[in-house]
Structures are given as C-alpha cells and as structure tokens.
Amino acid sequence: MDFAEHEDHRAIRAAVRDVCKQFDDDYWMRLDAEHTFPWEFYREMAKGGWIGIAIPEAYGGGGQGITEASLVLEEVAASGACMNGASAIHLSIFGMHPVVLHGSEELKQRVLPPVASGELHVAFGVTEPDAGLDTTSISTRAVRDGDDYVITGAKAWTTHGGEADFYKVMARTSDDGGRGISCFLVPADAPGLSADTPEDKMGLMSSVTATMLFDNVRVPAQRRLGAEGQGLAIALAGLDSGRLGIAAVATGVAQAALDVAVKYAKERESFGKPVIEHQGLAFLLADMAAAVESARATYLFAARLRDAGRPFSRQASVAKMTATDNAMKVTTDAVQVLGGAGYTKDFPVERYMRETKVMQIFEGTNQIQRMVIARHLAKD
C-alpha cells in the first residue's frame, strides 16, 4: 500500500480549505448560539461537489473513495467548523454507500443524484430508546402490507431528526433476532412520521438531535435496501465506514485546537518571553501535536484498507477510538494552554472541547470500540 499523500489528496485539502474560508469563527459561533443548521455552508460544499465525493460518477457524484471523503471531513473540522460543520455533511457523504450497494437501480436514480447535488439531506435511524446501539434488540417493526411496509416505533438520537429529507431506518421484519432486521429509506413527508422535541445538548448546537416517531408509516417495498433480514449487515458495514468519518473529524478538530493553542502560546508573554518557550507548556503542545499526527495516520491506514477492499473493521474501531480520545485530550489541553481566556467564548477552543465529547459516544461509544477490537483479537 502506498502511504504517501498524493498530489490529488493535497488538491482536495486545498479546495475544501478554500470553501471553508468563507465561513469564519464568527459564523460558527453565531450558529452555535442560535442552534441553527448551517445551510449556507452545506450548499457551498454541495456546489463544490464535496457532498457527493464518494457517490459513483454515474449518479452525479465524484466517484472517489473513503480516503478522499475522510480528507474532506478532516479539512472541514480543521477549518474551525468543528463538529457542527462536519456533522452537517458527514451523513450525506458516508450514508449513501448502502444505497449504492443494495438499492435497486430505480432507487439509486431517485436518491443518489439529488444527495450528491445537495438537494436532499439524509439522516440515519438505528438507535432506540431501550436498545441503544444493540441492533439485535431493535423493536421498531415493519410489517408487510401488499406492496408496502407499515413501520411503527421510535428512533432515538437521530442526527438531523426533523430536518432531513429522508431517513435510513432499521426496522424489524421478523422475530429472528439480528437476522430479522431490514433497512428502509423513509421520506420525511411520509404520513405518520414526526420528530419529537429536540434534545438540549452541551455541544453540537447547529445539528438538531431528536427522536423520530413512526406511527403506522407506510413505505413502498421498493424503498427497502437489500433483502429482508439483511439490515443488520448493512448497518454494521455502514458503522465501520462511518467510524472512519468520525475519526477524520476528530483529527480535524484536534488540529484546529492545536493551531489556536500554538498561535496563542507564541503571542502571549509570561516572565519576559512567549509562553511557548517555557518548557512545561512546550511539552504540552508537543504531546498535542503527537496526538494529532498519530490519529491522522491511524484513520488514513484504515481508510486505505477499506478502499483496497481489505478487511478494515478492527482498524476502523481503532481509528475511531484513538482519534476521538486524542481529540478530547487535545481540546481540553488547548483550553488549559489559553488559561482563563480558553474558558471564555472569546476563543473557539471551549466550543471545540464541547463538540468533541460527543465523538467519544456516537457511532458506537469508545467502550464498544474496545469490545469490537477485543473480539477481533479473540477471533484472529
């Protein structure tokens, strides 16, 4: 495998950076305060072709791999958009692979081009109030009724819940344990589908999170992905790829926090010299830089395995766990470097720290990642 960063990868980073320069810290801090989705940013990213970067060219996308898609997310997060900006595009970038693999040609033609162009916005419904990420315990049901399925239940912690144009939903079609789960694409305007009151979170304010309620929601059978009972495999494969996206975002946020901390440490003087020249602080910054670079290497290794068609599930969990744990420490240390100033909203590092915490929780908590890794070690 070639681990050198190619010229086209550097070009992706530079182009995404140019888009992100249009949206400064004031923009993200305002949206954070207003709890407003960054539609202007989303549309600019779609205009540049970045939303559809991993969608095949035949359906209006860029036809690139997960490595390239991950680079996009890292650069978005590193620009200062942090998790608010990256979350806006993460699901659309990474969530369409199951449609490519398992959707009918009619469904691909209907869904993929408008997602690639930014016209449609997607959300993902797996977690349930009483099941968490235990997909084998899903209780939301989809009952076949002629040419349709009728879905009843609830999906908790739905990112973009109530704002997305359609939802990729896991529902039980039989009582055969994990083998009884199927996957559906449910339009947001389907009668009986509604969003509960949004969650009041500590961070990720620009991205609404809500429980989606399914009250006898009728969905055409053509909107099922794959065969009945294939949903669990689809969900787990999607989580593996999604974890790489989260690892990339975490790396970008950590890089943004490091950049702010280094700039401040060069400009702030104490005892007659810049604080970066004091060994205690210099070593802290060195550890932060090492954490960022190790996270980047880890997620890129896993992404390249995935794009090469090689097993990558364990490496995806390693990347997600490593990058998000590192980002939590780096953003916390960035606040420490800035001292009292870091605890105020005059600088963005307090927002970076708040937004980073959730990355240790979703796409499977980091405790779940350790379980996944351990199971792979036992199996191997």
Side-chain angles (χ1 to χ4, degrees):
M1 296 176 68
D2 183 0
F3 291 98
E5 184 162 88
H6 299 166
E7 182 60 37
D8 57 344
H9 288 174
R10 288 192 289 272
I12 288 172
R13 289 187 182 276
V16 172
R17 216 171 289 142
D18 284 342
V19 175
C20 292
K21 284 177 183 176
Q22 303 173 46
F23 305 91
D24 59 13
D25 281 340
D26 289 342
Y27 173 82
W28 294 109
M29 291 177 76
R30 175 174 61 81
L31 266 59
D32 185 66
E34 295 175 354
H35 298 198
T36 304
F37 188 84
W39 284 114
E40 302 94 335
F41 168 77
Y42 188 85
R43 292 183 181 113
E44 283 300 315
M45 289 295 291
K47 192 185 302 180
W50 305 116
I51 303 295
I53 186 172
I55 291 175
E57 292 180 88
Y59 303 103
Q64 299 294 307
I66 292 299
T67 301
E68 290 77 15
S70 299
L71 292 175
V72 171
L73 288 174
E74 183 192 338
E75 285 302 319
V76 167
S79 74
C82 196
M83 191 62 212
N84 271 324
S87 173
I89 63 175
H90 173 261
L91 288 175
S92 293
I93 290 178
F94 279 81
M96 292 298 96
H97 190 62
V99 181
V100 174
L101 288 182
H102 304 287
S104 66
E105 184 60 28
E106 179 187 356
L107 192 58
K108 292 177 189 177
Q109 293 288 354
R110 182 186 303 176
V111 170
L112 295 177
V115 169
S117 66
E119 296 171 46
L120 292 185
H121 193 218
V122 62
F124 193 18
V126 177
T127 307
E128 296 191 351
D130 297 323
L133 266 181
D134 179 6
T135 49
T136 61
S137 299
I138 285 174
S139 60
T140 297
R141 301 200 71 94
V143 178
R144 188 69 184 252
D145 182 22
D147 293 333
D148 299 331
Y149 285 87
V150 178
I151 302 178
T152 305
K155 292 296 178 181
W157 305 108
T158 305
T159 302
H160 307 152
E163 290 191 346
D165 296 294
F166 66 96
Y167 297 83
K168 191 169 60 175
V169 176
M170 299 297 161
R172 182 167 296 284
T173 47
S174 83
D175 292 320
D176 188 14
R179 291 181 293 274
I181 308 299
S182 301
C183 182
F184 302 89
L185 295 186
V186 182
D189 60 358
L193 177 60
S194 62
D196 206 349
T197 304
E199 305 293 342
D200 188 8
K201 310 185 296 291
M202 69 180 287
L204 202 57
M205 304 300 195
S206 294
S207 177
V208 65
T209 304
T211 296
M212 298 303 299
L213 307 174
F214 295 79
D215 182 11
N216 293 313
V217 176
R218 188 169 289 273
V219 180
Q222 295 93 326
R223 296 188 73 92
R224 188 189 69 218
L225 295 182
E228 274 199 8
Q230 200 176 354
L232 182 58
I234 292 172
L236 293 178
L239 285 172
D240 281 341
S241 294
R243 285 164 183 162
L244 296 181
I246 296 303
V249 173
T251 302
V253 176
Q255 182 67 63
L258 175 63
D259 291 345
V260 173
V262 169
K263 183 177 185 295
Y264 184 87
K266 287 180 177 179
E267 296 174 350
R268 171 73 168 168
E269 289 195 0
S270 177
F271 300 101
K273 60 182 179 181
V275 295
I276 199 171
E277 295 181 18
H278 294 283
Q279 189 179 77
L281 200 60
F283 281 9
L284 183 62
L285 291 166
D287 286 344
M288 292 164 68
V292 173
E293 293 193 21
S294 62
R296 181 175 294 120
T298 303
Y299 94 71
L300 284 174
F301 174 65
R304 285 165 174 151
L305 284 176
R306 194 263 192 205
D307 287 339
R310 295 170 60 178
F312 75 102
S313 180
R314 175 165 63 91
Q315 289 79 6
S317 286
V318 169
K320 194 270 185 181
M321 180 188 74
T322 300
T324 57
D325 282 350
N326 283 5
M328 193 69 248
K329 185 175 189 312
V330 169
T331 54
T332 303
D333 287 346
V335 172
Q336 189 72 21
V337 169
L338 271 66
Y343 198 66
T344 71
K345 294 191 177 182
D346 293 335
F347 291 87
V349 288
E350 62 83 26
R351 176 168 59 85
Y352 297 167
M353 186 175 75
R354 284 189 289 110
E355 292 186 19
T356 296
K357 183 59 195 174
V358 73
M359 290 190 278
Q360 293 179 300
I361 298 171
F362 60 19
E363 297 285 349
T365 66
N366 283 5
Q367 286 70 35
I368 287 178
Q369 306 312 316
R370 287 170 170 84
M371 289 173 56
V372 171
I373 296 164
R375 286 172 181 171
H376 276 280
L377 292 175
K379 182 180 178 181
D380 294 344

